[in-house]
Amino acid sequence: MSITVTTWYLEQTSPDDLRPAAAPDGDVAVVRAEVPSPEFSRFLYSAVGGDVCWVDRLGLTHAQWREILERPGVETWVAYESGTPAGYVELDPQDDGVVEIMYFGLLPAFRGRRIGGHLLSYGTARAWDLADRWPGRPPTRRVRLNTCSLDGEHALANYRRRGFRVHDTRVTEKPAGAAVAPGPWPGAYA
């Protein structure tokens, strides 16, 4: 048994493409996690992606997480609401001035509160000015990301509202078991 999954590949090719969202009401701050922490990053990954089938990194060892996070230019930006982690953006610089938004999302309790558009805007702006914080990196000339039909129902629309354009679409079949959301713990969102 399998399910059909559509993946959209999106990009911006100029900082002028970014259409920022308004800041949400309340006490929301976006802060860079400057100390690479596999434990914290794994928490964010599983808490944000647990109900939307993020499983690619769950089997990584502590050393593999550390290797990813300690690569020059990799940044994790965390949104906090009243001191509580609400979501994050992980930036991954590639060759030739490309920066990929590797992961982006909100914990389920913080969705639908206008934090996502703000966090995506902030993270995208940080992708565009990444070279300012990492001497020796080439200036960003392209910011890319992808989303799929297993992600949140508003993900693609949010990316488009922020100025991202679809440059490729792929449809694949995945085993039905691959679409079972693991949750941060079994049954968390049942």
Side-chain angles (χ1 to χ4, degrees):
M1 195 154 184
S2 66
I3 60 165
T4 302
V5 177
T6 303
T7 302
W8 297 275
Y9 298 84
L10 299 100
E11 67 180 357
Q12 291 183 0
T13 54
S14 166
D16 295 333
D17 291 342
L18 177 59
R19 295 191 308 261
D25 294 330
D27 181 17
V28 175
V30 181
V31 178
R32 181 174 162 208
E34 294 191 40
V35 177
S37 170
E39 297 85 356
F40 186 50
S41 289
R42 191 178 194 287
F43 157 75
L44 291 168
Y45 177 85
S46 63
V48 167
D51 68 329
V52 290
C53 305
W54 289 8
V55 296
D56 296 348
R57 285 192 177 175
L58 291 179
L60 297 183
T61 66
H62 188 272
Q64 289 169 318
W65 276 94
R66 180 165 292 291
E67 184 179 331
I68 290 167
L69 298 172
E70 289 181 345
R71 285 187 33 244
V74 170
E75 295 183 346
T76 302
W77 292 86
V78 184
Y80 293 88
E81 183 175 24
S82 300
T84 302
Y88 80 114
V89 175
E90 181 182 304
L91 303 178
D92 185 17
Q94 311 285 307
D95 294 332
D96 300 325
V98 175
V99 176
E100 184 166 356
I101 295 177
M102 190 60 90
Y103 292 100
F104 160 78
L106 300 175
L107 281 76
F110 296 91
R111 295 176 189 153
R113 295 162 65 176
R114 301 188 54 216
I115 297 171
H118 174 65
L119 177 58
L120 180 60
S121 298
Y122 196 94
T124 303
R126 298 300 65 80
W128 281 112
D129 63 20
L130 186 84
D132 295 347
R133 292 180 302 284
W134 293 91
R137 290 221 57 89
T140 302
R141 63 173 189 76
R142 179 178 176 223
V143 177
R144 67 182 188 185
L145 57 83
N146 67 65
T147 189
C148 77
S149 53
L150 298 176
D151 284 339
E153 64 180 304
H154 303 293
L156 182 60
N158 187 22
Y159 296 136
R160 286 181 164 158
R161 280 194 303 276
R162 302 292 71 82
F164 283 92
R165 293 174 308 281
V166 174
H167 68 87
D168 193 13
T169 303
R170 297 184 189 156
V171 178
T172 57
E173 295 294 317
K174 293 194 177 196
V180 175
W185 58 87
Y189 302 103

